[in-house]
Amino acid sequence: MDVEALRTFLTVADTGQFQAAADELGISQQAVSKRIAALERHIEVTLLIRTSRGSRLSVDGQVFLPHAKKVLATIEQAEQAVRPGSRPLRVDVLNRRIAPAQAVYGFYRSHPETDLDVVTLSMENAAQAAQAVLEGTVDASFRALATDQVPAGISAERLLDAPLQLLVGPRHPLAGAPQVSPADLAGHRIWIPGIRQGTEWAAFYQALSEAFGLSIDALGPNFGDEALMDALADSALLATLIGNGDRYLWPQQHDLRRIPLHDPTPVYPHVLLFRSGDQHPVLNALRNHLRTAGPRTRHGRWAPDWAVVL
């Protein structure tokens, strides 16, 4: 059923005249007549009876009128629901502990009136997250994605490079270092449980290992962040890598040490994926915020060759 024909019928019913309806809709009287005729042909009944004083509803028109109003109201509500800026921006931040979540939270704190819906598609890889953006499950997603893997219809903007830090227990040989370089980590076991093959973070750590000759593994079961903190505190050999803005808590007696990595600083290249041409005002505001509010590195940076360029 033609929505414009339905809207025209309601306008004629309200004004009682074809010409008045034409004036209100900004079209010709002939166009009004054609729309009404098409609608009547579609439902195979006469809806309006012309008189010398204008027009009136037929019996069928009177029955049809309240249903037509409900249909048009539903359509207008549906249009309003997806109109840019009329609903919350739905953003996937992957994990609430890491840099994208902190960056979006910082944006929200500086724009408290913003309507946001933050989700974590933690079980989806980059390709699956990009598909979720294409399908409209989410409006945007933070991922580390190779340039040649960005699907058609998706724009990718590298807006958040998260510098990595070393996290060790107090008995680790590097525990007292004010900073270390990636090359200093060669020969030390770096344990990152939970790395899943086929994910972008698996590709990132593989590239990091190859670039600096590091031993990074995910051996053993992943019992969660708290168990990882316990293992680091008890070991003189284990280390792990975290983002400098990642939010982890551990008991005070663990005495874990966060040590910056420099010369160069490895960065995890978070890319914001969004539908090409999406004009949601909150998305545009978020992108502008991230361009100026992201962490900075002063000692050179390293990212995989396959990462989307800045």
Side-chain angles (χ1 to χ4, degrees), residues 242-290:
I242 60 175
N244 74 338
D246 294 358
R247 304 185 74 170
Y248 292 96
L249 297 175
W250 53 80
Q252 185 175 2
Q253 63 268 24
H254 278 12
D255 194 23
L256 302 186
R257 317 290 175 84
R258 300 179 74 136
I259 304 170
L261 295 177
H262 292 312
D263 301 320
T265 297
V267 296
Y268 194 90
H270 293 285
V271 172
L272 187 66
L273 306 177
F274 53 95
R275 289 183 296 280
S276 299
D278 190 341
Q279 294 300 312
H280 196 297
V282 179
L283 175 63
N284 292 332
L286 175 61
R287 291 166 59 200
N288 290 333
H289 172 84
L290 293 174

mmCIF file of all heavy atoms in Angstrom, residues 242-290:
data_model
loop_
_atom_site.group_PDB
_atom_site.id
_atom_site.type_symbol
_atom_site.label_atom_id
_atom_site.label_comp_id
_atom_site.label_asym_id
_atom_site.label_seq_id
_atom_site.Cartn_x
_atom_site.Cartn_y
_atom_site.Cartn_z
ATOM 1 N N ILE A 242 49.218 -5.405 29.082
ATOM 2 C CA ILE A 242 47.910 -4.766 29.201
ATOM 3 C C ILE A 242 48.002 -3.370 28.582
ATOM 4 O O ILE A 242 49.097 -2.829 28.395
ATOM 5 C CB ILE A 242 47.457 -4.655 30.672
ATOM 6 C CG1 ILE A 242 48.458 -3.825 31.486
ATOM 7 C CG2 ILE A 242 47.269 -6.035 31.288
ATOM 8 C CD1 ILE A 242 48.010 -3.561 32.915
ATOM 9 N N GLY A 243 46.868 -2.783 28.302
ATOM 10 C CA GLY A 243 46.847 -1.409 27.816
ATOM 11 C C GLY A 243 47.072 -0.441 28.960
ATOM 12 O O GLY A 243 46.695 -0.716 30.112
ATOM 13 N N ASN A 244 47.674 0.706 28.662
ATOM 14 C CA ASN A 244 48.001 1.636 29.755
ATOM 15 C C ASN A 244 46.761 2.241 30.408
ATOM 16 O O ASN A 244 46.830 2.746 31.519
ATOM 17 C CB ASN A 244 48.947 2.746 29.277
ATOM 18 C CG ASN A 244 48.258 3.787 28.406
ATOM 19 O OD1 ASN A 244 47.206 3.530 27.812
ATOM 20 N ND2 ASN A 244 48.849 4.953 28.314
ATOM 21 N N GLY A 245 45.605 2.150 29.733
ATOM 22 C CA GLY A 245 44.382 2.667 30.336
ATOM 23 C C GLY A 245 43.427 1.575 30.786
ATOM 24 O O GLY A 245 42.331 1.873 31.272
ATOM 25 N N ASP A 246 43.852 0.309 30.641
ATOM 26 C CA ASP A 246 42.977 -0.790 31.043
ATOM 27 C C ASP A 246 42.781 -0.778 32.554
ATOM 28 O O ASP A 246 43.721 -0.521 33.317
ATOM 29 C CB ASP A 246 43.569 -2.135 30.623
ATOM 30 C CG ASP A 246 43.627 -2.302 29.115
ATOM 31 O OD1 ASP A 246 43.165 -1.386 28.403
ATOM 32 O OD2 ASP A 246 44.143 -3.336 28.652
ATOM 33 N N ARG A 247 41.580 -1.080 32.977
ATOM 34 C CA ARG A 247 41.230 -0.996 34.386
ATOM 35 C C ARG A 247 41.223 -2.397 35.008
ATOM 36 O O ARG A 247 40.328 -3.200 34.767
ATOM 37 C CB ARG A 247 39.880 -0.316 34.564
ATOM 38 C CG ARG A 247 39.832 1.064 33.922
ATOM 39 C CD ARG A 247 38.548 1.792 34.190
ATOM 40 N NE ARG A 247 38.487 2.266 35.560
ATOM 41 C CZ ARG A 247 37.555 3.110 36.006
ATOM 42 N NH1 ARG A 247 36.613 3.545 35.200
ATOM 43 N NH2 ARG A 247 37.567 3.497 37.258
ATOM 44 N N TYR A 248 42.260 -2.667 35.792
ATOM 45 C CA TYR A 248 42.366 -3.916 36.527
ATOM 46 C C TYR A 248 42.554 -3.609 38.005
ATOM 47 O O TYR A 248 43.221 -2.632 38.367
ATOM 48 C CB TYR A 248 43.570 -4.744 36.034
ATOM 49 C CG TYR A 248 43.406 -5.277 34.629
ATOM 50 C CD1 TYR A 248 43.935 -4.590 33.539
ATOM 51 C CD2 TYR A 248 42.736 -6.472 34.401
ATOM 52 C CE1 TYR A 248 43.779 -5.076 32.252
ATOM 53 C CE2 TYR A 248 42.579 -6.967 33.111
ATOM 54 C CZ TYR A 248 43.101 -6.260 32.050
ATOM 55 O OH TYR A 248 42.942 -6.741 30.778
ATOM 56 N N LEU A 249 41.964 -4.462 38.828
ATOM 57 C CA LEU A 249 42.098 -4.325 40.276
ATOM 58 C C LEU A 249 42.697 -5.605 40.834
ATOM 59 O O LEU A 249 42.382 -6.707 40.363
ATOM 60 C CB LEU A 249 40.728 -4.068 40.924
ATOM 61 C CG LEU A 249 40.012 -2.778 40.529
ATOM 62 C CD1 LEU A 249 38.623 -2.732 41.169
ATOM 63 C CD2 LEU A 249 40.824 -1.551 40.937
ATOM 64 N N TRP A 250 43.563 -5.447 41.827
ATOM 65 C CA TRP A 250 44.136 -6.613 42.500
ATOM 66 C C TRP A 250 44.375 -6.266 43.970
ATOM 67 O O TRP A 250 44.465 -5.083 44.325
ATOM 68 C CB TRP A 250 45.442 -7.049 41.827
ATOM 69 C CG TRP A 250 46.454 -5.957 41.682
ATOM 70 C CD1 TRP A 250 47.310 -5.481 42.630
ATOM 71 C CD2 TRP A 250 46.728 -5.198 40.494
ATOM 72 N NE1 TRP A 250 48.106 -4.477 42.126
ATOM 73 C CE2 TRP A 250 47.767 -4.284 40.807
ATOM 74 C CE3 TRP A 250 46.206 -5.211 39.191
ATOM 75 C CZ2 TRP A 250 48.278 -3.395 39.880
ATOM 76 C CZ3 TRP A 250 46.730 -4.327 38.284
ATOM 77 C CH2 TRP A 250 47.746 -3.425 38.613
ATOM 78 N N PRO A 251 44.459 -7.279 44.829
ATOM 79 C CA PRO A 251 44.699 -7.001 46.252
ATOM 80 C C PRO A 251 46.010 -6.254 46.463
ATOM 81 O O PRO A 251 46.993 -6.469 45.734
ATOM 82 C CB PRO A 251 44.749 -8.401 46.879
ATOM 83 C CG PRO A 251 43.983 -9.278 45.935
ATOM 84 C CD PRO A 251 44.249 -8.708 44.570
ATOM 85 N N GLN A 252 46.033 -5.385 47.445
ATOM 86 C CA GLN A 252 47.223 -4.567 47.691
ATOM 87 C C GLN A 252 48.463 -5.413 47.919
ATOM 88 O O GLN A 252 49.567 -5.046 47.494
ATOM 89 C CB GLN A 252 46.975 -3.654 48.894
ATOM 90 C CG GLN A 252 48.107 -2.665 49.156
ATOM 91 C CD GLN A 252 47.775 -1.691 50.277
ATOM 92 O OE1 GLN A 252 46.709 -1.780 50.879
ATOM 93 N NE2 GLN A 252 48.676 -0.777 50.562
ATOM 94 N N GLN A 253 48.306 -6.563 48.576
ATOM 95 C CA GLN A 253 49.465 -7.393 48.872
ATOM 96 C C GLN A 253 50.085 -8.034 47.638
ATOM 97 O O GLN A 253 51.208 -8.522 47.693
ATOM 98 C CB GLN A 253 49.107 -8.484 49.890
ATOM 99 C CG GLN A 253 48.058 -9.486 49.434
ATOM 100 C CD GLN A 253 46.660 -9.072 49.825
ATOM 101 O OE1 GLN A 253 46.402 -7.884 50.033
ATOM 102 N NE2 GLN A 253 45.750 -10.048 49.942
ATOM 103 N N HIS A 254 49.368 -8.036 46.515
ATOM 104 C CA HIS A 254 49.954 -8.563 45.272
ATOM 105 C C HIS A 254 51.126 -7.706 44.812
ATOM 106 O O HIS A 254 52.073 -8.210 44.200
ATOM 107 C CB HIS A 254 48.892 -8.617 44.168
ATOM 108 C CG HIS A 254 48.010 -9.824 44.222
ATOM 109 N ND1 HIS A 254 47.971 -10.677 45.292
ATOM 110 C CD2 HIS A 254 47.101 -10.321 43.306
ATOM 111 C CE1 HIS A 254 47.104 -11.649 45.058
ATOM 112 N NE2 HIS A 254 46.549 -11.450 43.857
ATOM 113 N N ASP A 255 51.059 -6.401 45.039
ATOM 114 C CA ASP A 255 52.150 -5.476 44.693
ATOM 115 C C ASP A 255 52.571 -5.610 43.225
ATOM 116 O O ASP A 255 53.766 -5.631 42.904
ATOM 117 C CB ASP A 255 53.352 -5.706 45.621
ATOM 118 C CG ASP A 255 54.381 -4.565 45.547
ATOM 119 O OD1 ASP A 255 53.979 -3.446 45.142
ATOM 120 O OD2 ASP A 255 55.562 -4.796 45.867
ATOM 121 N N LEU A 256 51.602 -5.718 42.336
ATOM 122 C CA LEU A 256 51.930 -5.832 40.912
ATOM 123 C C LEU A 256 52.463 -4.506 40.382
ATOM 124 O O LEU A 256 52.124 -3.432 40.877
ATOM 125 C CB LEU A 256 50.701 -6.266 40.115
ATOM 126 C CG LEU A 256 50.051 -7.598 40.514
ATOM 127 C CD1 LEU A 256 48.939 -7.957 39.530
ATOM 128 C CD2 LEU A 256 51.074 -8.724 40.586
ATOM 129 N N ARG A 257 53.278 -4.583 39.345
ATOM 130 C CA ARG A 257 53.928 -3.391 38.780
ATOM 131 C C ARG A 257 53.528 -3.217 37.319
ATOM 132 O O ARG A 257 53.647 -4.144 36.508
ATOM 133 C CB ARG A 257 55.457 -3.532 38.864
ATOM 134 C CG ARG A 257 55.973 -4.091 40.193
ATOM 135 C CD ARG A 257 55.799 -3.125 41.344
ATOM 136 N NE ARG A 257 56.179 -3.721 42.616
ATOM 137 C CZ ARG A 257 57.432 -3.775 43.081
ATOM 138 N NH1 ARG A 257 58.437 -3.315 42.336
ATOM 139 N NH2 ARG A 257 57.684 -4.318 44.256
ATOM 140 N N ARG A 258 53.057 -2.017 36.984
ATOM 141 C CA ARG A 258 52.776 -1.659 35.594
ATOM 142 C C ARG A 258 53.983 -0.890 35.075
ATOM 143 O O ARG A 258 54.328 0.165 35.608
ATOM 144 C CB ARG A 258 51.522 -0.800 35.486
ATOM 145 C CG ARG A 258 50.267 -1.461 36.011
ATOM 146 C CD ARG A 258 49.051 -0.556 35.902
ATOM 147 N NE ARG A 258 48.580 -0.434 34.531
ATOM 148 C CZ ARG A 258 47.293 -0.497 34.165
ATOM 149 N NH1 ARG A 258 46.352 -0.677 35.080
ATOM 150 N NH2 ARG A 258 46.942 -0.377 32.907
ATOM 151 N N ILE A 259 54.610 -1.408 34.028
ATOM 152 C CA ILE A 259 55.853 -0.828 33.529
ATOM 153 C C ILE A 259 55.645 -0.370 32.080
ATOM 154 O O ILE A 259 55.288 -1.179 31.214
ATOM 155 C CB ILE A 259 56.999 -1.858 33.590
ATOM 156 C CG1 ILE A 259 57.150 -2.379 35.029
ATOM 157 C CG2 ILE A 259 58.296 -1.244 33.105
ATOM 158 C CD1 ILE A 259 58.090 -3.564 35.141
ATOM 159 N N PRO A 260 55.863 0.918 31.797
ATOM 160 C CA PRO A 260 55.685 1.409 30.423
ATOM 161 C C PRO A 260 56.669 0.766 29.455
ATOM 162 O O PRO A 260 57.812 0.445 29.821
ATOM 163 C CB PRO A 260 55.941 2.917 30.552
ATOM 164 C CG PRO A 260 55.752 3.213 32.010
ATOM 165 C CD PRO A 260 56.201 1.987 32.745
ATOM 166 N N LEU A 261 56.239 0.597 28.222
ATOM 167 C CA LEU A 261 57.094 0.107 27.144
ATOM 168 C C LEU A 261 57.438 1.282 26.232
ATOM 169 O O LEU A 261 56.548 2.006 25.794
ATOM 170 C CB LEU A 261 56.383 -0.988 26.350
ATOM 171 C CG LEU A 261 56.066 -2.285 27.099
ATOM 172 C CD1 LEU A 261 55.302 -3.243 26.186
ATOM 173 C CD2 LEU A 261 57.344 -2.950 27.599
ATOM 174 N N HIS A 262 58.724 1.445 25.964
ATOM 175 C CA HIS A 262 59.184 2.554 25.126
ATOM 176 C C HIS A 262 60.245 2.074 24.152
ATOM 177 O O HIS A 262 60.843 1.014 24.324
ATOM 178 C CB HIS A 262 59.781 3.687 25.988
ATOM 179 C CG HIS A 262 58.758 4.397 26.824
ATOM 180 N ND1 HIS A 262 57.564 4.857 26.317
ATOM 181 C CD2 HIS A 262 58.765 4.732 28.144
ATOM 182 C CE1 HIS A 262 56.870 5.436 27.268
ATOM 183 N NE2 HIS A 262 57.571 5.371 28.397
ATOM 184 N N ASP A 263 60.482 2.921 23.136
ATOM 185 C CA ASP A 263 61.568 2.724 22.152
ATOM 186 C C ASP A 263 61.497 1.395 21.403
ATOM 187 O O ASP A 263 62.439 0.605 21.458
ATOM 188 C CB ASP A 263 62.929 2.868 22.847
ATOM 189 C CG ASP A 263 63.110 4.219 23.504
ATOM 190 O OD1 ASP A 263 62.688 5.223 22.902
ATOM 191 O OD2 ASP A 263 63.639 4.262 24.625
ATOM 192 N N PRO A 264 60.466 1.143 20.634
ATOM 193 C CA PRO A 264 59.248 1.947 20.491
ATOM 194 C C PRO A 264 58.161 1.470 21.459
ATOM 195 O O PRO A 264 58.326 0.459 22.138
ATOM 196 C CB PRO A 264 58.833 1.653 19.054
ATOM 197 C CG PRO A 264 59.234 0.220 18.858
ATOM 198 C CD PRO A 264 60.523 0.041 19.636
ATOM 199 N N THR A 265 57.060 2.187 21.486
ATOM 200 C CA THR A 265 55.903 1.794 22.275
ATOM 201 C C THR A 265 54.950 0.986 21.392
ATOM 202 O O THR A 265 54.398 1.533 20.436
ATOM 203 C CB THR A 265 55.163 3.024 22.820
ATOM 204 O OG1 THR A 265 56.024 3.745 23.699
ATOM 205 C CG2 THR A 265 53.907 2.604 23.581
ATOM 206 N N PRO A 266 54.761 -0.300 21.689
ATOM 207 C CA PRO A 266 53.760 -1.051 20.929
ATOM 208 C C PRO A 266 52.358 -0.509 21.249
ATOM 209 O O PRO A 266 52.029 -0.270 22.408
ATOM 210 C CB PRO A 266 53.909 -2.488 21.444
ATOM 211 C CG PRO A 266 55.235 -2.532 22.130
ATOM 212 C CD PRO A 266 55.453 -1.153 22.673
ATOM 213 N N VAL A 267 51.565 -0.290 20.234
ATOM 214 C CA VAL A 267 50.200 0.200 20.430
ATOM 215 C C VAL A 267 49.226 -0.769 19.775
ATOM 216 O O VAL A 267 49.498 -1.317 18.704
ATOM 217 C CB VAL A 267 50.013 1.624 19.861
ATOM 218 C CG1 VAL A 267 50.885 2.626 20.600
ATOM 219 C CG2 VAL A 267 50.293 1.675 18.371
ATOM 220 N N TYR A 268 48.130 -0.962 20.451
ATOM 221 C CA TYR A 268 47.058 -1.766 19.868
ATOM 222 C C TYR A 268 46.177 -0.811 19.068
ATOM 223 O O TYR A 268 45.573 0.113 19.629
ATOM 224 C CB TYR A 268 46.246 -2.458 20.963
ATOM 225 C CG TYR A 268 45.348 -3.544 20.423
ATOM 226 C CD1 TYR A 268 45.797 -4.852 20.308
ATOM 227 C CD2 TYR A 268 44.051 -3.251 20.014
ATOM 228 C CE1 TYR A 268 44.972 -5.849 19.802
ATOM 229 C CE2 TYR A 268 43.227 -4.240 19.504
ATOM 230 C CZ TYR A 268 43.690 -5.535 19.403
ATOM 231 O OH TYR A 268 42.875 -6.516 18.887
ATOM 232 N N PRO A 269 46.087 -1.004 17.748
ATOM 233 C CA PRO A 269 45.437 -0.018 16.874
ATOM 234 C C PRO A 269 43.923 -0.216 16.774
ATOM 235 O O PRO A 269 43.424 -0.824 15.833
ATOM 236 C CB PRO A 269 46.125 -0.253 15.525
ATOM 237 C CG PRO A 269 46.413 -1.729 15.533
ATOM 238 C CD PRO A 269 46.702 -2.104 16.965
ATOM 239 N N HIS A 270 43.195 0.329 17.725
ATOM 240 C CA HIS A 270 41.732 0.226 17.680
ATOM 241 C C HIS A 270 41.187 1.081 16.542
ATOM 242 O O HIS A 270 41.471 2.284 16.459
ATOM 243 C CB HIS A 270 41.127 0.694 18.992
ATOM 244 C CG HIS A 270 41.436 -0.196 20.155
ATOM 245 N ND1 HIS A 270 40.827 -1.413 20.352
ATOM 246 C CD2 HIS A 270 42.301 -0.045 21.188
ATOM 247 C CE1 HIS A 270 41.284 -1.971 21.448
ATOM 248 N NE2 HIS A 270 42.185 -1.174 21.981
ATOM 249 N N VAL A 271 40.388 0.466 15.701
ATOM 250 C CA VAL A 271 39.773 1.128 14.561
ATOM 251 C C VAL A 271 38.269 1.202 14.812
ATOM 252 O O VAL A 271 37.656 0.231 15.246
ATOM 253 C CB VAL A 271 40.057 0.355 13.253
ATOM 254 C CG1 VAL A 271 39.270 0.924 12.091
ATOM 255 C CG2 VAL A 271 41.556 0.374 12.958
ATOM 256 N N LEU A 272 37.697 2.368 14.565
ATOM 257 C CA LEU A 272 36.251 2.515 14.697
ATOM 258 C C LEU A 272 35.603 2.153 13.364
ATOM 259 O O LEU A 272 35.872 2.782 12.339
ATOM 260 C CB LEU A 272 35.881 3.943 15.087
ATOM 261 C CG LEU A 272 34.400 4.173 15.415
ATOM 262 C CD1 LEU A 272 33.998 3.405 16.671
ATOM 263 C CD2 LEU A 272 34.096 5.658 15.586
ATOM 264 N N LEU A 273 34.753 1.132 13.381
ATOM 265 C CA LEU A 273 34.018 0.700 12.199
ATOM 266 C C LEU A 273 32.601 1.259 12.268
ATOM 267 O O LEU A 273 31.938 1.151 13.304
ATOM 268 C CB LEU A 273 33.954 -0.825 12.134
ATOM 269 C CG LEU A 273 35.281 -1.594 12.208
ATOM 270 C CD1 LEU A 273 35.014 -3.092 12.208
ATOM 271 C CD2 LEU A 273 36.187 -1.208 11.050
ATOM 272 N N PHE A 274 32.122 1.820 11.175
ATOM 273 C CA PHE A 274 30.759 2.342 11.122
ATOM 274 C C PHE A 274 30.274 2.299 9.678
ATOM 275 O O PHE A 274 31.074 2.215 8.743
ATOM 276 C CB PHE A 274 30.676 3.767 11.684
ATOM 277 C CG PHE A 274 31.650 4.745 11.061
ATOM 278 C CD1 PHE A 274 31.252 5.547 9.999
ATOM 279 C CD2 PHE A 274 32.949 4.858 11.527
ATOM 280 C CE1 PHE A 274 32.130 6.442 9.414
ATOM 281 C CE2 PHE A 274 33.844 5.756 10.947
ATOM 282 C CZ PHE A 274 33.433 6.554 9.903
ATOM 283 N N ARG A 275 28.967 2.319 9.506
ATOM 284 C CA ARG A 275 28.412 2.253 8.152
ATOM 285 C C ARG A 275 28.774 3.514 7.366
ATOM 286 O O ARG A 275 28.614 4.631 7.863
ATOM 287 C CB ARG A 275 26.893 2.074 8.193
ATOM 288 C CG ARG A 275 26.437 0.707 8.670
ATOM 289 C CD ARG A 275 24.922 0.561 8.618
ATOM 290 N NE ARG A 275 24.261 1.478 9.531
ATOM 291 C CZ ARG A 275 24.125 1.279 10.843
ATOM 292 N NH1 ARG A 275 24.629 0.190 11.399
ATOM 293 N NH2 ARG A 275 23.501 2.154 11.598
ATOM 294 N N SER A 276 29.229 3.327 6.178
ATOM 295 C CA SER A 276 29.593 4.463 5.323
ATOM 296 C C SER A 276 28.378 5.353 5.112
ATOM 297 O O SER A 276 27.281 4.871 4.806
ATOM 298 C CB SER A 276 30.113 3.973 3.972
ATOM 299 O OG SER A 276 31.271 3.174 4.145
ATOM 300 N N GLY A 277 28.576 6.645 5.315
ATOM 301 C CA GLY A 277 27.495 7.600 5.130
ATOM 302 C C GLY A 277 26.606 7.784 6.340
ATOM 303 O O GLY A 277 25.670 8.588 6.284
ATOM 304 N N ASP A 278 26.859 7.068 7.430
ATOM 305 C CA ASP A 278 26.034 7.207 8.639
ATOM 306 C C ASP A 278 26.214 8.613 9.202
ATOM 307 O O ASP A 278 27.333 9.026 9.530
ATOM 308 C CB ASP A 278 26.454 6.165 9.683
ATOM 309 C CG ASP A 278 25.482 6.086 10.861
ATOM 310 O OD1 ASP A 278 24.707 7.038 11.067
ATOM 311 O OD2 ASP A 278 25.520 5.075 11.577
ATOM 312 N N GLN A 279 25.128 9.351 9.329
ATOM 313 C CA GLN A 279 25.184 10.739 9.790
ATOM 314 C C GLN A 279 24.609 10.904 11.197
ATOM 315 O O GLN A 279 24.186 12.000 11.560
ATOM 316 C CB GLN A 279 24.426 11.641 8.809
ATOM 317 C CG GLN A 279 25.070 11.726 7.443
ATOM 318 C CD GLN A 279 26.491 12.273 7.505
ATOM 319 O OE1 GLN A 279 26.740 13.288 8.156
ATOM 320 N NE2 GLN A 279 27.420 11.590 6.856
ATOM 321 N N HIS A 280 24.597 9.839 11.976
ATOM 322 C CA HIS A 280 24.113 9.973 13.352
ATOM 323 C C HIS A 280 24.962 11.037 14.051
ATOM 324 O O HIS A 280 26.189 10.948 14.071
ATOM 325 C CB HIS A 280 24.238 8.638 14.081
ATOM 326 C CG HIS A 280 23.438 8.564 15.349
ATOM 327 N ND1 HIS A 280 23.690 9.395 16.426
ATOM 328 C CD2 HIS A 280 22.393 7.776 15.719
ATOM 329 C CE1 HIS A 280 22.850 9.109 17.394
ATOM 330 N NE2 HIS A 280 22.041 8.139 16.993
ATOM 331 N N PRO A 281 24.350 12.081 14.615
ATOM 332 C CA PRO A 281 25.125 13.178 15.205
ATOM 333 C C PRO A 281 26.018 12.740 16.353
ATOM 334 O O PRO A 281 27.099 13.311 16.559
ATOM 335 C CB PRO A 281 24.051 14.169 15.664
ATOM 336 C CG PRO A 281 22.788 13.378 15.731
ATOM 337 C CD PRO A 281 22.890 12.323 14.693
ATOM 338 N N VAL A 282 25.612 11.731 17.113
ATOM 339 C CA VAL A 282 26.458 11.265 18.215
ATOM 340 C C VAL A 282 27.693 10.555 17.673
ATOM 341 O O VAL A 282 28.785 10.677 18.234
ATOM 342 C CB VAL A 282 25.659 10.345 19.161
ATOM 343 C CG1 VAL A 282 26.549 9.830 20.290
ATOM 344 C CG2 VAL A 282 24.467 11.087 19.744
ATOM 345 N N LEU A 283 27.546 9.828 16.574
ATOM 346 C CA LEU A 283 28.707 9.186 15.954
ATOM 347 C C LEU A 283 29.715 10.233 15.504
ATOM 348 O O LEU A 283 30.925 10.095 15.745
ATOM 349 C CB LEU A 283 28.259 8.340 14.758
ATOM 350 C CG LEU A 283 29.375 7.705 13.926
ATOM 351 C CD1 LEU A 283 30.181 6.727 14.754
ATOM 352 C CD2 LEU A 283 28.799 7.015 12.695
ATOM 353 N N ASN A 284 29.248 11.290 14.867
ATOM 354 C CA ASN A 284 30.153 12.351 14.418
ATOM 355 C C ASN A 284 30.837 13.031 15.602
ATOM 356 O O ASN A 284 32.034 13.341 15.556
ATOM 357 C CB ASN A 284 29.377 13.380 13.590
ATOM 358 C CG ASN A 284 28.894 12.811 12.273
ATOM 359 O OD1 ASN A 284 29.497 11.894 11.726
ATOM 360 N ND2 ASN A 284 27.795 13.335 11.760
ATOM 361 N N ALA A 285 30.095 13.254 16.678
ATOM 362 C CA ALA A 285 30.675 13.882 17.866
ATOM 363 C C ALA A 285 31.711 12.973 18.516
ATOM 364 O O ALA A 285 32.768 13.427 18.975
ATOM 365 C CB ALA A 285 29.578 14.234 18.867
ATOM 366 N N LEU A 286 31.436 11.666 18.560
ATOM 367 C CA LEU A 286 32.387 10.705 19.129
ATOM 368 C C LEU A 286 33.671 10.673 18.316
ATOM 369 O O LEU A 286 34.776 10.679 18.886
ATOM 370 C CB LEU A 286 31.750 9.319 19.166
ATOM 371 C CG LEU A 286 32.656 8.166 19.623
ATOM 372 C CD1 LEU A 286 33.146 8.388 21.052
ATOM 373 C CD2 LEU A 286 31.928 6.828 19.496
ATOM 374 N N ARG A 287 33.562 10.665 17.014
ATOM 375 C CA ARG A 287 34.759 10.643 16.162
ATOM 376 C C ARG A 287 35.594 11.903 16.376
ATOM 377 O O ARG A 287 36.835 11.821 16.489
ATOM 378 C CB ARG A 287 34.349 10.515 14.697
ATOM 379 C CG ARG A 287 33.747 9.151 14.347
ATOM 380 C CD ARG A 287 33.050 9.166 12.997
ATOM 381 N NE ARG A 287 33.963 9.535 11.922
ATOM 382 C CZ ARG A 287 33.575 9.997 10.736
ATOM 383 N NH1 ARG A 287 32.267 10.183 10.498
ATOM 384 N NH2 ARG A 287 34.455 10.301 9.825
ATOM 385 N N ASN A 288 34.939 13.048 16.447
ATOM 386 C CA ASN A 288 35.680 14.296 16.688
ATOM 387 C C ASN A 288 36.370 14.273 18.045
ATOM 388 O O ASN A 288 37.509 14.739 18.188
ATOM 389 C CB ASN A 288 34.726 15.487 16.609
ATOM 390 C CG ASN A 288 34.238 15.751 15.192
ATOM 391 O OD1 ASN A 288 34.921 15.419 14.229
ATOM 392 N ND2 ASN A 288 33.055 16.336 15.064
ATOM 393 N N HIS A 289 35.702 13.734 19.044
ATOM 394 C CA HIS A 289 36.292 13.644 20.381
ATOM 395 C C HIS A 289 37.530 12.747 20.375
ATOM 396 O O HIS A 289 38.573 13.118 20.939
ATOM 397 C CB HIS A 289 35.251 13.095 21.363
ATOM 398 C CG HIS A 289 35.796 12.793 22.718
ATOM 399 N ND1 HIS A 289 35.937 13.747 23.704
ATOM 400 C CD2 HIS A 289 36.234 11.621 23.268
ATOM 401 C CE1 HIS A 289 36.431 13.194 24.786
ATOM 402 N NE2 HIS A 289 36.622 11.904 24.550
ATOM 403 N N LEU A 290 37.439 11.593 19.731
ATOM 404 C CA LEU A 290 38.548 10.645 19.737
ATOM 405 C C LEU A 290 39.765 11.169 18.974
ATOM 406 O O LEU A 290 40.900 10.799 19.288
ATOM 407 C CB LEU A 290 38.096 9.313 19.143
ATOM 408 C CG LEU A 290 37.068 8.532 19.967
ATOM 409 C CD1 LEU A 290 36.587 7.307 19.198
ATOM 410 C CD2 LEU A 290 37.674 8.107 21.297
#
